[in-house]
Amino acid sequence: MSYTGPDLEPPQPRRSPLRRPLTVALAVLVPGALLGWGVYAATGGGGGTGAAPAAPASTAAASPAADRDDAKESGAGRPLAGKVVLVDPGHNPENYRHTTEINRQVDIGTHRKECDTTGTATDDGYAEAAFTLDVARRLRTLLQEQGATVRLTQDGDRPYGPCVDERARIGNEAKADAAISIHADGAGAGQRGFHVILPGPVHAGAADTRPIVASSRALGERVADRFAGVTGSAPADYLGDGTGLVTRTDLGGLNLSTVPKVFLECGNMRDSKDAALLTSGAWRQKAAQGISEGIVSFLRG
């Protein structure tokens, strides 16, 4: 935008010899245009009030295609523009109030198991479900800043669950480019560290992980590397042979997934030193940052 200072006057336009004929022509045309607009509005062409037509209301549940379109528009120019990430906060803070519902058996392909569990807690009573939801929300913010569309399986908005089979289905229906389930372990005191759980090859019933085993491992390796780098935590010293990577075939959230997915056990809530980290808001922010960097690294290739 140009600016005219206080001691300067803008240049005056030269008068055109055609100015008078143009003025007369406009004097003739404008009343006719105004009359035409009045007829248009009176017959409903202007929406009845002369206001611009209202935009259509959004649907309650966006489709996967809509998720991707939103991601492309809102994240243009950012590394995860057009990507969809499924974040699954393990358990639910209200599960303990609904023991009948969460004990219901569901099919995970290889066998049947409980819909969900209450999860573990620190010795001081800080629940795993509260931890996972907090980290998930922090992670969502970080991923959205990178341009991703983020879907949570629950956001403290459900009375319990969802069940493990539904958690997988939410990621599948979203056609997520990456999915991660956030947890904290309940191992014995003195056992420390994080580990990432990878899906093993399963082909039974509704479960077929064969197409996602390799991509899930790649995701898990990136997450483990960046989680360790950002948080300073070491891989678990009680399983995984010091790699921080464990393969399992008994988890419904992995068995039923058709998109690259891993579980992350961020630490051991039953160990006092790990618990001190897990209960720290500053450390949880580091955890979210490490997970985010791992996902970004995986999705950028």
Side-chain angles (χ1 to χ4, degrees), residues 16-278:
S16 167
L18 298 176
R19 181 176 180 181
R20 183 175 179 80
L22 286 173
T23 302
V24 173
L26 288 172
V28 173
L29 292 173
V30 168
L34 291 174
L35 177 60
W37 170 251
V39 173
Y40 175 74
T43 58
T49 64
S58 59
T59 57
S63 67
D67 281 340
R68 293 176 184 278
D69 289 342
D70 289 345
K72 289 177 182 176
E73 290 186 15
S74 64
R78 288 179 283 176
L80 297 190
K83 300 295 186 181
V84 177
V85 179
L86 186 282
V87 178
D88 176 29
H91 313 289
N92 183 314
E94 299 299 311
N95 272 359
Y96 75 97
R97 300 180 186 273
H98 300 273
T99 54
T100 299
E101 291 88 347
I102 67 172
N103 284 329
R104 177 172 63 86
Q105 299 285 298
V106 297
D107 187 353
I108 67 166
T110 54
H111 59 287
R112 298 180 68 83
K113 67 182 303 182
E114 296 87 353
C115 155
D116 202 4
T117 66
T118 58
T120 188
T122 67
D123 290 342
D124 292 333
Y126 181 55
E128 178 188 0
F131 167 82
T132 64
L133 187 54
D134 181 75
V135 173
R137 288 168 172 167
R138 294 171 188 265
L139 176 59
R140 173 174 58 190
T141 297
L142 293 170
L143 291 171
Q144 287 174 336
E145 289 173 353
Q146 298 294 313
T149 291
V150 182
R151 299 285 301 274
L152 264 62
T153 56
Q154 57 95 6
D155 193 10
D157 53 355
R158 299 179 61 126
Y160 65 92
C163 294
V164 294
D165 56 341
E166 184 182 354
R167 290 175 186 268
R169 187 163 60 249
I170 293 170
N172 298 344
E173 292 176 351
K175 299 188 184 302
D177 297 286
I180 187 162
S181 188
I182 301 171
H183 290 264
D185 208 1
Q191 297 177 317
R192 299 194 61 193
F194 74 90
H195 64 279
V196 179
I197 303 175
L198 314 173
V202 171
H203 185 210
D208 186 0
T209 62
R210 294 174 299 175
I212 65 162
V213 166
S215 56
S216 295
R217 171 169 283 274
L219 171 61
E221 289 172 347
R222 301 294 180 92
V223 168
D225 176 70
R226 296 312 308 140
F227 187 84
V230 174
T231 64
S233 294
D237 58 14
Y238 57 98
L239 75 177
D241 296 324
T243 66
L245 301 175
V246 177
T247 299
R248 291 176 59 174
T249 59
D250 62 327
L251 299 174
L254 295 180
N255 285 5
L256 300 175
S257 181
T258 59
V259 301
K261 186 174 183 180
V262 298
F263 278 39
L264 171 62
E265 299 281 359
C266 296
N268 178 17
M269 299 197 102
R270 308 302 292 178
D271 175 78
S272 60
K273 292 180 179 178
D274 269 9
L277 300 176
L278 299 169

